C-alpha cells in the first residue's frame, strides 16, 4: 500500500490555549508515522514576542509517544527506532493526537501547517530498551559525600550533547552521579545503558516543563513519564504524588529564570527541593538565594540544590553541582540525603568544604540539628580549600555575621554563637569576580545547620 499523507492547517490568535490537539485516525497496517510542521515567523518590533510553537504526540488511549518542544521541526516513530525525544514502538491503530503548544504568539497571530505521513508494511525488529544500571560500584564509597549534577539536557530534548558526550563530560568534571532531565519526555531513560560506566551513576528524571514553572522530577523508574499540561497548582499536586509514590523528589527549578514559563509560580508547598543556583552565577540566582533565605528566616526550610542545566557544549557540566551526604550511591540513598538537606553546592569538584557546629561535645554538620542550651557556646568551624582568592561568609537568620579570606593553600574559619542568638547558620563562599549582572560570583553554598 502506498504512503498516505494528510496536511492540517490552522492558526492561533494571541491568547490561544496552551495545548491544542490535532486528531489523526491511523488505520491498520501502519509501520511508521512521520510528522513535519512549520509555522510563520513574522517580523516583530524590539521587545515584542514573536512566534514559537512546540510539538509532541500521544498514541491511542492517551499513551505518551514523545515530545520535542521547539527543538526540531519533524519526527518519525516506528517499532525499531524513533527521533530523539520520541518513544519507539508499534504504530497502533486508532486515534493519535498531535499536541501543538503555542509558547509565544506574535500580535499578528500564528499560522501553522502539519504534514502527517503514515507508511504501511510489516514492523521491523522491536526496540530493545537499555536503561542505566541501578548502581555504579566503582564510585560507591558507602556513607560518604557524593558529587552530582541533577539538571542537564542531551539531543533527547533541546541539548547539543549526545548521551555519550554527557557521560564523558560528567566523569571529567569529577562527578559520582547525574540525573537525566530531558524536557517533558522519558525517551532518554531507554538509552543510558549503552553509555553507562561503573564509576558514574545515572538516575532517570524529567524536567517537567509547564507554562507556570519547570520542575525536575528525580529518581524515576526507567520509562516513567510525568505530565506537564497544567498551570493549576491543584493539578501539580496530583503529579507530585506520582513522583513521590515511585521514590522520587520534586525540584523547583530556576525560580526566577528570565524566560517565559521558567519562573516558578506554583508556590513551594509541593516542592521537596529548590534549585537556588542554576548554571553560571547570574542575577536570577542571587534573587533565588535571597528568596530562599527569606523563607528560612520565616521558619520555612526547603533544602537547596544547584545544577548546571547544561544544554550546549559551552555549558559546563557540574557548574554548579551538589555534594550530598548519603549512605551509599543508589537512587534511594541519594534521595534520602537530599530530602534531609545533607547537601552543599560547589562550582567545581576542586572546591572542598567542611562545615560543622559543636556544643557540649556534640557536633552537627550540614542539614542536621544541634541541641544546645540557650547560653551555651556553639563553635562554628569552616574549612575550605580549592577556592583560592575567595571569601567565606557565615550567615544566620540575622544576616551575614562573620567571614574570612581563603588563600591558595585553603583556610579554616571559626566563629562562636549561641542558640539564643542564632536559629541556624549557613555558609557561602564568594569570589570578587563581577558578572554582567552581579557584583561577585558564588563558589559554594550550604544548607543550614539548625539549633534547638
Amino acid at each position: 500500500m502506498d504512503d498516505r499523507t494528510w496536511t492540517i492547517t490552522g492558526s492561533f490568535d494571541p491568547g490561544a490555549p496552551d495545548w491544542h490537539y490535532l486528531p489523526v485516525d491511523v488505520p491498520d497496517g501502519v509501520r511508521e508515522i512521520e510528522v513535519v510542521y512549520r509555522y510563520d515567523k513574522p517580523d516583530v518590533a524590539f521587545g515584542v514576542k514573536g512566534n514559537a510553537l512546540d510539538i509532541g504526540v500521544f498514541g491511542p488511549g492517551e499513551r505518551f509517544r514523545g515530545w520535542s518542544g521547539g527543538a526540531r521541526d519533524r519526527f518519525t516513530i516506528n517499532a525499531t527506532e524513533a527521533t530523539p525525544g520520541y518513544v519507539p514502538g508499534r504504530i497502533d491503530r486508532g486515534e493519535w493526537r498531535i499536541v501543538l503548544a503555542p509558547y509565544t504568539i506574535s500580535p499578528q497571530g500564528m499560522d501553522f501547517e502539519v504534514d502527517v505521513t503514515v507508511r504501511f508494511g510489516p514492523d521491523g525488529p522491536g526496540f530493545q530498551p537499555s536503561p542505566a544500571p541501578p548502581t555504579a560500584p566503582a564510585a560507591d564509597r558507602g556513607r560518604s559525600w557524593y558529587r552530582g549534577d541533577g539538571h542537564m539536557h542531551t539531543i533527547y530534548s533541546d541539548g547539543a550533547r549526545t548521551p555519550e558526550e554527557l557521560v564523558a563530560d560528567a566523569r571529567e568534571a569529577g562527578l559520582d552521579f547525574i540525573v537525566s532531565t530531558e524536557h517533558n519526555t522519558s525517551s532518554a531513560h531507554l538509552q543510558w545503558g549503552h553509555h553507562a560506566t561503573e564509576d558514574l551513576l545515572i538516575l532517570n528524571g524529567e524536567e517537567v516543563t509547564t507554562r507556570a514553572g519547570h520542575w525536575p522530577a528525580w529518581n524515576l523508574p526507567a520509562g516513567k513519564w510525568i505530565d506537564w499540561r497544567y498551570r493549576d497548582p491543584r493539578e501539580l499536586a496530583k503529579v507530585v504524588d506520582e513522583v513521590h509514590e515511585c521514590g522520587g523528589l520534586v525540584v523547583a527549578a530556576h525560580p526566577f529564570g528570565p524566560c517565559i514559563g521558567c519562573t516558578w509560580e506554583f508556590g513551594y508547598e509541593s516542592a521537596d527541593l529548590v534549585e537556588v543556583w542554576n548554571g553560571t552565577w547570574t542575577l536570577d540566582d542571587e534573587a533565588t538565594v535571597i528568596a530562599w533565605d527569606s523563607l528560612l528566616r520565616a521558619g520555612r526550610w526547603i533544602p537547596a540544590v544547584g545544577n548546571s542545566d547544561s544544554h550546549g557544549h559551552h555549558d559546563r557540566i557540574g557548574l554548579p553541582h551538589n555534594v550530598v551526604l548519603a549512605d551509599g550511591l543508589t537512587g534511594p540513598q541519594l534521595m534520602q540525603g537530599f530530602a534531609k538537606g545533607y547537601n552543599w553546592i560547589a562550582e567545581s569538584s576542586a572546591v572542598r568544604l567542611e562545615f560543622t557546629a559543636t556544643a557540649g561535645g556534640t557536633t552537627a554538620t550540614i542539614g542536621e540539628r544541634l541541641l544546645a542550651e540557650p547560653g551555651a557556646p556553639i563553635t562554628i568551624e569552616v574549612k575550605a580549600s580549592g577556592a583560592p582568592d575567595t571569601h567565606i561568609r557565615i550567615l544566620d537568620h540575622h544576616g551575614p555575621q562573620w567571614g574570612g579570606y581563603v588563600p591558595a593553600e585553603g583556610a579554616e574559619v571559626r566563629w562562636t554563637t549561641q542558640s539564643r542568638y542564632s536559629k541556624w547558620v549557613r555558609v557561602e563562599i564568594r569570589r570578587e569576580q563581577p558578572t554582567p549582572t552581579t557584583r561577585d560570583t558564588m563558589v559554594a553554598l550550604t544548607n543550614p545547620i539548625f539549633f534547638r
Side-chain angles (χ1 to χ4, degrees), residues 266-348:
F266 288 115
Y268 293 101
E269 291 75 16
S270 295
D272 301 305
L273 309 168
V274 57
E275 189 181 70
V276 302
W277 182 358
N278 174 279
T280 305
W281 184 256
T282 52
L283 186 61
D284 57 291
D285 300 305
E286 190 76 65
T288 304
V289 170
I290 292 170
W292 173 72
D293 185 85
S294 297
L295 288 173
L296 270 173
R297 295 184 192 203
R300 174 77 169 96
W301 178 46
I302 308 169
V305 297
N307 304 291
S308 70
D309 195 5
S310 60
H311 285 75
H313 292 283
H314 60 282
D315 298 324
R316 203 176 87 205
I317 300 293
L319 171 60
H321 65 267
N322 302 287
V323 191
V324 59
L325 179 62
D327 289 335
L329 188 61
T330 67
Q333 290 169 317
L334 291 169
M335 295 306 106
Q336 184 178 53
F338 278 116
K340 291 181 177 179
Y342 297 168
N343 182 59
W344 61 280
I345 309 165
E347 72 168 0
S348 78

Side-chain angles (χ1 to χ4, degrees), residues 1-24:
M1 188 180 294
D2 294 336
D3 298 350
R4 187 181 303 173
T5 299
W6 299 272
T7 297
I8 307 168
T9 62
S11 62
F12 294 116
D13 295 325
D18 291 330
W19 324 112
H20 180 77
Y21 298 92
L22 306 177
V24 177

